[in-house]
């Protein structure tokens, strides 16, 4: 919870920087460079999340890195692909809610992939190379990950049983992601963006985990890389810095 | 849409960020896995017999008692907590019309990690059930083999020769 609030605080501060940067970006040089003819393919963008690496530095409970790329078609549709790596230690988050042994821990790590499309709701900029975006989008996401749960209680008062087990294994969680956000060019090739993502329809399938010492356990993952807490809040926010690569101009048509 | 609306957009983003930060982390699953056992008179099989004087104890193979199990006198239901560590659960049933009968349930366990909020539980599939001493028993029936967090269906029925 504390980490999430801290993350949102970082995004809030940086969003103010985004608005300020956007105002300063409207220079004469930029305006001249930004002129182009109306076309189908305006360029390509690659971007990286800035909040995840900061969180990785300040917290020993979470590591998160993600990058993405999209294609600018008509300044209207942006087919998108994103991928990342995330590692999460959920031990402390839940220790207070459920009585577990002292050495209980729950860790999860893995990659995640998202593919979808964003639609720009701003119009009237067809004669510019790079433009501000106010967008809605939808993505299909999945994450193959590894979970490791150590010393989870398997007690039963009626059978005088007081023991704990450790289990680890692999699973894949799939979900749908609905995005909305803003993107603004801060120079000829750089842009900043702030995006809110609503995650829904996560698969709740259980996976077979191997109990240390023998046996199998059916495991419902609580955390998934790229999603976060499956049983918790479904919103996430990211703040990205990106590079825009425009397509070549046709000579004499500028 | 005009660019000046960007501030409204940002406002909604920030509000949603904070709303998603506020969620509670507690278990919403039923973590108590129990088999449902009912006792019937073999002559009137529609109504279970009154179990207000019945006690059920878990016990080990040597006959040592562990604990008394809960019973529901309103629905005349005995709730059998199966042994999560063994494939055989033994119970001692004590009442004025059942003379220290030993009930044995053989089952297959499936441990399950429900979530970080809930922890672990063990579901079971009943293979066999029998009563060791046949003093009052007419027959025993496994109605539903699956033992999980839904108690709507009876798992085991024991028909008794009482009131003859």
């Amino acid at each position: 919870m504390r980490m999430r609030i801290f993350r949102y605080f970082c995004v809030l501060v940086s969003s103010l920087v985004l608005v300020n940067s956007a105002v300063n970006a409207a220079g004469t040089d930029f305006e001249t460079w930004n002129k182009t003819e109306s076309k189908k393919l305006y360029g390509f963008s690659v971007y990286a999340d800035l909040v995840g690496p900061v969180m990785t530095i300040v917290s020993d409970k979470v590591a998160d890195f993600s990058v993405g790329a999209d294609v600018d078609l008509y300044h209207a549709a942006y087919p998108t692909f994103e991928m990342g790596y995330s590692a999460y230690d959920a031990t402390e988050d839940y220790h207070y809610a459920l009585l577990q042994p002292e050495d209980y821990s729950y860790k999860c790590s893995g990659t995640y992939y998202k593919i979808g499309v964003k639609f720009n709701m701003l119009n009237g900029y067809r004669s510019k190379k790079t433009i501000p975006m106010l967008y809605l989008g939808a993505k299909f996401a999945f994450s193959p990950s590894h979970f490791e749960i150590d010393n989870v209680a398997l007690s039963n008062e009626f059978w005088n049983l007081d023991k704990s087990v450790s289990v680890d294994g692999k699973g894949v969680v799939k979900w749908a992601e609905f995005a909305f956000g803003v993107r603004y060019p801060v120079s000829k090739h750089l842009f900043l963006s702030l995006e809110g993502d609503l995650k829904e329809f996560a698969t709740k399938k259980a996976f077979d985990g191997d109990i240390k010492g023998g046996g199998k356990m059916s495991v419902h993952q609580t955390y998934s890389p790229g999603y976060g807490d499956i049983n918790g809040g479904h919103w996430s926010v990211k703040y990205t810095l990106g590079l825009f690569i425009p397509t070549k101009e046709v000579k004499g048509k500028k | 849409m005009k660019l000046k609306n960007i501030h409204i957009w940002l406002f909604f983003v920030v509000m949603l960020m904070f709303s998603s930060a506020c969620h509670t982390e507690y278990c919403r699953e039923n973590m108590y896995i129990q088999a449902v056992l009912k006792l019937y008179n073999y002559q009137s099989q529609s109504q279970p017999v009154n179990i207000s004087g019945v006690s059920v104890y878990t016990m080990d193979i040597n006959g040592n008692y562990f604990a008394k199990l809960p019973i529901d006198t309103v629905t005349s239901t005995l709730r059998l907590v199966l042994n999560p560590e063994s494939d055989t659960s033994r119970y001692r049933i004590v009442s004025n019309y059942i003379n220290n009968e030993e009930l044995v349930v053989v089952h297959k366990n499936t441990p399950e990690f429900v979530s970080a909020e809930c922890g672990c539980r063990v579901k079971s599939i009943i293979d066999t059930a029998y009563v060791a001493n046949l003093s009052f028993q007419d027959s025993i029936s496994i109605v539903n083999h699956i033992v999980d967090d839904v108690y709507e269906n009876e798992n085991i029925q024991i028909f008794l020769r009482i009131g003859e």
Side-chain angles (χ1 to χ4, degrees), chain A residues 1 8 96 158-159 218 220 222, chain B residues 17 21 25 58 81 112-113 116:
Chain A
M1 176 72 84
Y8 292 159
Y96 67 91
F158 296 106
W159 290 96
S218 177
H220 296 268
T222 299
Chain B
M17 287 178 337
E25 290 150 353
T58 55
V81 181
E112 179 184 29
F113 179 78

Side-chain angles (χ1 to χ4, degrees), chain A residues 162-181:
Chain A
D162 186 16
K163 65 179 280 193
S164 59
V165 296
S166 297
V167 60
D168 67 347
K170 292 177 181 176
V172 179
V173 176
K174 302 170 200 164
W175 68 94
E177 204 163 290
F178 303 98
F180 68 100

